[in-house]
Amino acid sequence: MEIADDLLRGVKRISAFINEDERATYHKLSTGKLPGGKEGNQWIASKSVLREHYAALTRGKAA
């Protein structure tokens, strides 16, 4: 898999991927409750890391 295939760029795409409100997604990213980072002014996140984050939550272990 290419890195580009795993990346989500922008809060809009990240929130769509996790089926969450954009404002809530931004808040979680900016407070570190959701794994992601900024490249310039744009938030980026990895699909595989987000999947693991939510898998850990459902196992009862915070990522």
Side-chain angles (χ1 to χ4, degrees), residues 3-61:
I3 292 174
D5 296 333
D6 188 51
L7 287 182
L8 296 164
R9 295 185 176 275
V11 172
K12 185 174 187 170
R13 288 188 175 152
I14 296 167
S15 65
F17 182 75
I18 63 173
N19 196 30
E20 179 105 62
D21 176 79
E22 285 182 43
R23 191 171 179 165
T25 301
Y26 177 82
H27 177 74
K28 289 178 181 180
L29 286 165
S30 62
T31 58
K33 294 180 181 174
L34 196 60
K38 287 191 96 174
E39 186 172 68
N41 292 334
Q42 188 176 54
W43 281 100
I44 60 169
S46 163
K47 293 176 188 177
S48 57
V49 171
L50 288 170
R51 284 185 185 104
E52 180 52 38
H53 171 76
Y54 283 105
L57 288 175
T58 60
R59 288 191 301 265
K61 301 174 187 171

